[in-house]
């Protein structure tokens, strides 16, 4: 059973930075796609960034150059470094995982396991 626990959200002024963390069940990074998603009130959930088992990343256009997804295999932790934050980045941010036994793409695909979310508010 995959468990994901996010942390690191909070309130920040526009232009500031936050780093989100996601503690994952041990060993899943080698066999799972990992991703960060967000959902703002009244809006659909949006894929923000993904990373595959080899470390290849993808980003939605609105965060390219500002956000960076990474993972630390030794700590079983996924990160999202968010810089130059904007009010439109305000949302609940979720960590997610998807089994990827056949090394297919990790972006624009359904994810199976989700954390409880961490709130990011930019004013």
């Amino acid at each position: 059973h995959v468990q994901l626990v996010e942390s690191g959200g909070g309130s920040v002024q526009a232009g500031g930075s936050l780093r989100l963390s996601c503690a994952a069940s041990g060993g899943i990074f080698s066999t799972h796609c990992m991703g960060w998603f967000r959902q703002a009130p009244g809006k659909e959930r949006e894929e923000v960034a993904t990373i595959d088992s080899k470390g290849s990343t993808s980003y939605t256009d609105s965060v390219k150059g500002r956000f960076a997804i990474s993972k630390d295999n030794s700590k079983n932790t996924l990160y999202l470094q968010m810089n130059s934050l904007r009010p439109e980045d305000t949302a609940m941010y979720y960590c997610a995982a998807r089994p990827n036994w056949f090394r297919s793409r990790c972006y624009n695909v359904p994810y199976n396991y989700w954390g409880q979310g961490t709130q990011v508010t930019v004013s």
Side-chain angles (χ1 to χ4, degrees), residues 6-68:
E6 303 96 335
S7 61
S11 296
V12 65
Q13 291 188 337
S17 297
L18 283 174
R19 188 177 78 159
L20 305 184
S21 299
C22 172
S25 305
I28 71 167
F29 288 169
S30 61
T31 55
H32 286 64
C33 297
M34 300 298 300
W36 286 100
F37 295 74
R38 66 186 179 186
Q39 187 167 22
K43 294 187 177 181
E44 293 187 354
R45 187 169 59 200
E46 174 187 30
E47 179 182 296
V48 176
T50 67
I51 187 167
D52 68 14
S53 57
K54 294 184 178 180
S56 295
T57 59
S58 70
Y59 298 92
T60 192
D61 286 347
S62 64
V63 308
K64 286 180 180 177
R66 301 189 297 123
F67 290 12

Side-chain angles (χ1 to χ4, degrees), residues 76-94:
N76 296 315
T77 302
L78 179 74
Y79 301 102
L80 185 68
Q81 179 66 45
M82 305 186 294
N83 299 325
S84 302
L85 282 161
R86 304 168 180 169
E88 53 264 39
D89 295 317
T90 295
M92 185 71 79
Y93 282 72
Y94 298 91

